Amino acid sequence: MPETGNKDYSRASRRLVVRIGKSHLSFSAHDINDPRKVIYEPYKWNRSLSPEANFRDACEVIALLRCDFEGADIMIDSPVLTVPGREFVNEDAETLYRFTFNSNEHDALVCDFIPFLNCHAVLAIDKSLKESLDKRLEDVAYHPVSLPVWKCLHPQSHTLRNNKLFAYLHDDRIEVFAFAQNHFKFHNQFPANNLQDAEFYVLSVWQQMGLKSDVDEFHLLGSLPDMDEYITHLSRFIKKVSHHKSEDLIKIQLLADTSAMTLDLIVLHNSTIS
């Protein structure tokens, strides 16, 4: 049974953010003397070690882990199962998740309630790593890595009558979603190791949702190695294709070098400046 919680990371101050990505861990926090500054420390996975052993090694070299924080937000890159609030049954969530994503017994499941979308996000994390995080850090909350992006885009999805489909490219996957007022109209994620896969999945969803190629909009975030070519290919089938960088989505207030940070981290830290 997944652990549940409803902790709003955006209200907390002096919290550590741990992002668990495909190729690396990262640790980041606002500078206590100037919240516009962000301290960011990446840690590359050692594939010969377990996730928990990697975290123990990171504890020896990451300066932020020697600081005191009021709490920690763990942003997890793993397949996300989103379940509408009215349909969510905690006792059934584990069976549904493991059936959908073929998760194994080495994973612990956590559940994050998303109030503005009235849904529960169920996701997996290595059990031993979770135990170490819970033991080492205070007031730990678990979230999907895309949560800040969802929160940023949700208000923008209702500005016009045209339908909008969004895709966020991160960690070798493409996450495709659409909103309808206070819930997901569509949400799924697919592997995106190459341009052809990313194009196929978007066009499949576009067709599945019955979107109109000359009226409705496709908004793309993140990047692929051949991004210009990808956009050119999509534009043959979808007339309104837009690629957004962080500065297109938000007014950047951070006084920090964000070039090494993922889009979700930039949006998250920008939104939590107090």
Side-chain angles (χ1 to χ4, degrees), residues 170-217:
H170 65 93
D171 301 275
D172 292 337
R173 76 175 76 229
I174 183 167
E175 188 171 346
V176 185
F177 51 96
F179 302 109
Q181 296 303 321
N182 65 338
H183 63 275
F184 275 122
K185 185 187 298 185
F186 180 91
H187 176 267
N188 207 342
Q189 56 265 299
F190 312 94
N193 296 313
N194 56 64
L195 182 150
Q196 291 75 21
D197 286 348
E199 181 180 354
F200 172 79
Y201 291 126
V202 167
L203 293 177
S204 296
V205 174
W206 187 272
Q207 184 177 35
Q208 178 184 336
M209 295 186 64
L211 299 175
K212 300 176 182 178
S213 63
D214 57 340
V215 176
D216 295 324
E217 305 172 14

Side-chain angles (χ1 to χ4, degrees), residues 51-72:
E52 189 271 339
N54 271 277
F55 178 67
R56 282 192 281 108
D57 184 62
C59 290
E60 300 297 321
V61 298
I62 298 296
L64 281 171
L65 289 172
R66 296 191 289 272
C67 301
D68 293 325
F69 291 94
E70 296 174 5

Side-chain angles (χ1 to χ4, degrees), residues 34-246:
D34 186 348
R36 295 172 299 171
K37 297 179 180 179
V38 173
I39 303 165
Y40 174 76
E41 294 185 272
Y43 173 90
K44 189 173 182 179
W45 287 111
N46 182 340
R47 294 299 177 185
S48 67
L49 300 177
S50 68
E52 189 271 339
N54 271 277
F55 178 67
R56 282 192 281 108
D57 184 62
C59 290
E60 300 297 321
V61 298
I62 298 296
L64 281 171
L65 289 172
R66 296 191 289 272
C67 301
D68 293 325
F69 291 94
E70 296 174 5
D73 294 294
I74 315 300
M75 315 303 291
I76 305 172
D77 170 51
S78 80
V80 181
L81 177 68
T82 53
V83 184
R86 65 182 181 278
E87 299 176 12
F88 182 79
V89 179
N90 192 52
E91 291 73 16
D92 298 337
E94 180 170 356
T95 300
L96 183 59
Y97 186 93
R98 297 196 188 282
F99 176 79
T100 303
F101 296 116
N102 196 28
S103 176
N104 61 52
E105 67 276 4
H106 299 296
D107 291 330
L109 298 188
V110 293
C111 181
D112 187 24
F113 179 62
I114 317 297
F116 65 94
L117 291 172
N118 190 29
C119 75
H120 296 262
V122 184
L123 54 162
I125 179 174
D126 179 85
K127 279 183 181 179
S128 297
L129 175 58
K130 182 181 182 301
E131 290 173 0
S132 292
L133 289 165
D134 289 340
K135 183 177 180 179
R136 174 87 183 198
L137 305 171
E138 298 289 334
D139 188 29
V140 178
Y142 294 88
H143 311 285
V145 293
S146 298
L147 177 58
V149 177
W150 299 344
K151 195 168 186 177
C152 175
L153 293 175
H154 178 252
Q156 302 179 28
S157 65
H158 311 307
T159 55
L160 296 172
R161 292 184 179 181
N162 299 346
N163 292 307
K164 295 183 179 182
L165 183 66
F166 300 93
Y168 179 32
L169 289 153
H170 65 93
D171 301 275
D172 292 337
R173 76 175 76 229
I174 183 167
E175 188 171 346
V176 185
F177 51 96
F179 302 109
Q181 296 303 321
N182 65 338
H183 63 275
F184 275 122
K185 185 187 298 185
F186 180 91
H187 176 267
N188 207 342
Q189 56 265 299
F190 312 94
N193 296 313
N194 56 64
L195 182 150
Q196 291 75 21
D197 286 348
E199 181 180 354
F200 172 79
Y201 291 126
V202 167
L203 293 177
S204 296
V205 174
W206 187 272
Q207 184 177 35
Q208 178 184 336
M209 295 186 64
L211 299 175
K212 300 176 182 178
S213 63
D214 57 340
V215 176
D216 295 324
E217 305 172 14
F218 177 61
H219 296 268
L220 184 64
L221 305 95
S223 62
L224 280 172
D226 302 314
M227 180 59 74
D228 290 341
E229 184 180 356
Y230 180 54
I231 293 172
T232 300
H233 281 208
L234 283 177
S235 297
R236 294 180 300 171
F237 306 98
I238 304 172
K239 301 303 180 186
K240 297 183 177 181
V241 177
S242 302
H243 179 221
H244 302 282
K245 298 180 180 180
S246 57

